[in-house]
Amino acid sequence: MNTPASILSSIDRQLHNQNNHPLSITRKIIASRFPSFKTHNTIFPVVTTKQNFDSLGFPPDHPGRSRTDTYYINKETVLRTHTSAHQADVFHANLSDGFLISADVYRRDAIDRSHYPIFHQMEGAMTWDRNASGPFLKRIREDLESLPKIENIEVSDPNPTIHPERNPLQGTHSAEEVGLMAAHLKRSLESVVVEIFTHARRAALTRGDDLPTKLEPLKIRWVEAYFPFTTPSWELEVFWQGDWLEVLGCGIIKQEILDKAGVSNRSGWAFGLGLERIAMLLFSIPDIRLFWSQDQRFLSQFSDTAPIKPFQPFSNKPGTTKDVSFWLNSTSSAAGGAVGKEFHENDIMELVRGVAGDLAEDVRLTDAFTHPKTGRKSLCYRIFYRSLERTLTHEEANGLHEDIRKKLVEGFGVELR
């Protein structure tokens, strides 16, 4: 058990299901492009290691299984680290050809404006039954032709659908089958990004950004990628405000995953994306901590029914920076506590969160030094404290920082410098 009470107490928040919340609004925008798909938005986040890792082919030594990365409830139960933990169960239930899963996911991670130990993912999949009436290829082709045409878009897709080294074909599929399934996948997801960035453009205009009066075609590109659950695989990038942004990952589902789920008669595609990343872009939200705010000055700015508008900051309070330096694995009596306990960077992130909560805006390593004679290693971390809702006093920040220093000694046997 390495899951703190602060994480467990957030399980019932389900931000992606709260009306008038930016994550819920973002989820609904994406789901609107898949009207026939069955949605799964309320699946409980406690899963078995078999669901989270084994069903997806994670090897026993995969770093994602480590306690430094994953929140364990007990040896065989975790808080899901991705929505794909439910993929095999949904495939096995076989309730629909297409489905969407949206959920809160949990990982021990860095502290900065774009990372949080709880975030939200959305994934979708479409599969076809090879044994259904009518030729398999003909049914995929008909579904592809039924998808709406997309206007005002420039698509770059220079690589072949299949490449023997970079994007290999599965032995269970023919090149023609994959070509049609990939075309259906790409057309479906191009429709999603056009919908998202149409909203983003409108919001940018209301913000007063310097955009052309006549909107130029949206530029997107398909990039070859690797994912453990799909092959061939791609990432979809969008050219936005002078830069290429990665929006999602996708590919043709590995047949072994469908076989293990008991639906070896089906083949298809899947995609996944992070809702925070899209919502921060849509609403110009600068800090991921804001999604968890219960301040009405934040929440009252969003509506499921009104046009999307950029977030208007309600606070620009100053913060304060403090450093903590320490020797690792010290045997000095000054260290005390759990002498020699293994230390991982995510441990200090978790410790800081446990003390300062959302008052810690950024934690980063600024110096690492190994003594040439003793071999002892020294680390220095810089912590930036700031509240997004009020003025954080120096006295309060000093108290938090001193508590962090003490807990480092107690928990990891470090020697403070």
Side-chain angles (χ1 to χ4, degrees):
M1 172 68 170
N2 67 340
T3 308
S6 59
I7 296 296
L8 293 173
S9 66
S10 300
I11 285 177
D12 62 353
R13 293 284 301 277
Q14 293 197 42
L15 303 183
H16 63 293
N17 287 325
Q18 290 186 14
N19 289 334
N20 302 318
H21 192 281
L23 291 177
S24 174
I25 295 169
T26 302
R27 172 183 63 79
K28 291 174 182 177
I29 289 173
I30 298 168
S32 71
R33 309 314 301 166
F34 301 98
S36 65
F37 281 33
K38 183 173 179 59
T39 57
H40 305 270
N41 299 325
T42 58
I43 306 177
F44 195 65
V46 176
V47 298
T48 64
T49 54
K50 180 179 179 180
Q51 289 173 298
N52 202 69
F53 301 119
D54 299 336
S55 70
L56 297 164
F58 280 73
D61 60 348
H62 193 281
R65 293 180 182 263
S66 170
R67 282 168 44 88
T68 61
D69 286 14
T70 297
Y71 289 114
Y72 277 80
I73 304 301
N74 55 45
K75 184 178 179 181
E76 298 179 347
T77 311
V78 300
L79 292 177
R80 63 182 164 226
T81 62
H82 43 220
T83 50
S84 299
H86 305 291
Q87 198 178 82
D89 293 333
V90 176
F91 280 137
H92 180 73
N94 199 20
L95 300 177
S96 59
D97 293 337
F99 65 80
L100 298 171
I101 301 174
S102 301
D104 43 337
V105 299
Y106 301 76
R107 293 182 196 170
R108 300 176 90 234
D109 210 341
I111 295 178
D112 58 40
R113 289 187 172 197
S114 60
H115 291 87
Y116 202 80
I118 311 171
F119 56 104
H120 298 76
Q121 288 183 338
M122 187 173 190
E123 73 172 65
M126 174 72 186
T127 60
W128 290 267
D129 186 351
R130 291 177 173 274
N131 299 334
S133 60
F136 182 60
L137 290 174
K138 182 175 182 290
R139 285 184 281 116
I140 301 175
R141 188 176 290 109
E142 289 174 348
D143 285 347
L144 172 61
E145 291 172 352
S146 70
L147 293 176
K149 299 297 186 291
I150 306 170
E151 299 180 352
N152 209 32
I153 185 173
E154 290 183 6
V155 180
S156 172
D157 191 7
N159 297 305
T161 300
I162 300 163
H163 189 280
E165 287 84 32
R166 301 192 307 263
N167 239 348
L169 176 70
Q170 300 178 52
T172 52
H173 296 152
S174 72
E176 189 176 7
E177 291 169 352
V178 169
L180 283 172
M181 288 190 288
H184 190 280
L185 162 67
K186 291 179 177 180
R187 175 82 65 80
S188 299
L189 297 182
E190 287 164 6
S191 174
V192 169
V193 298
V194 167
E195 183 72 12
I196 290 169
F197 282 87
T198 296
H199 285 281
R201 280 172 157 174
R202 290 172 184 160
L205 286 171
T206 65
R207 186 173 55 235
D209 286 6
D210 186 17
L211 294 179
T213 304
K214 182 180 179 181
L215 291 180
E216 298 176 354
L218 182 68
K219 295 179 181 179
I220 70 171
R221 66 184 182 190
W222 291 98
V223 180
E224 292 175 333
Y226 168 79
F227 301 111
F229 325 131
T230 57
T231 186
S233 305
W234 303 273
E235 289 175 345
L236 180 55
E237 298 182 347
V238 176
F239 192 72
W240 178 249
Q241 296 184 343
D243 199 7
W244 285 100
L245 301 179
E246 177 195 334
V247 178
L248 55 84
C250 61
I252 304 302
I253 303 164
K254 285 189 175 179
Q255 197 60 39
E256 63 194 67
I257 292 177
L258 294 165
D259 293 347
K260 288 180 179 178
V263 286
S264 56
N265 58 307
R266 304 190 74 89
S267 296
W269 55 255
F271 76 92
L273 54 80
L275 286 177
E276 275 86 350
R277 183 179 180 86
I278 304 299
M280 290 174 85
L281 182 152
L282 276 174
F283 296 96
S284 301
I285 294 174
D287 194 308
I288 197 169
R289 293 175 296 166
L290 280 165
F291 291 114
W292 293 88
S293 174
Q294 299 190 64
D295 192 315
Q296 284 302 310
R297 292 174 296 173
F298 174 76
L299 296 174
S300 63
Q301 296 191 37
F302 309 101
S303 170
D304 282 319
T305 56
I308 285 177
K309 295 180 180 179
F311 161 68
Q312 297 298 320
F314 55 84
S315 175
N316 190 23
K317 303 299 184 184
T320 183
T321 299
K322 299 184 182 298
D323 291 349
V324 56
S325 301
F326 50 88
W327 294 103
L328 286 175
N329 297 327
S330 173
T331 57
S332 166
S333 60
V339 176
K341 184 175 180 180
E342 184 179 357
F343 179 85
H344 187 280
E345 182 162 277
N346 282 348
D347 292 327
I348 192 169
M349 302 298 172
E350 200 66 35
L351 188 151
V352 171
R353 281 196 185 99
V355 173
D358 286 353
L359 297 178
E361 181 171 299
D362 190 87
V363 178
R364 63 187 61 203
L365 181 68
T366 58
D367 184 65
F369 168 75
T370 301
H371 195 285
K373 292 184 178 180
T374 65
R376 295 176 70 195
K377 187 173 183 179
S378 171
L379 301 176
C380 178
Y381 281 89
R382 181 157 295 164
I383 306 174
F384 183 63
Y385 300 92
R386 183 163 72 111
S387 171
L388 294 173
E389 299 174 351
R390 59 182 176 82
T391 299
L392 182 67
T393 66
H394 285 290
E395 291 76 10
E396 186 177 1
N398 287 338
L400 294 171
H401 197 69
E402 185 58 33
D403 198 7
I404 287 168
R405 287 167 55 85
K406 290 178 180 178
K407 289 185 182 300
L408 275 169
V409 173
E410 294 168 0
F412 298 95
V414 306
E415 182 179 349
L416 297 173
R417 299 185 65 184

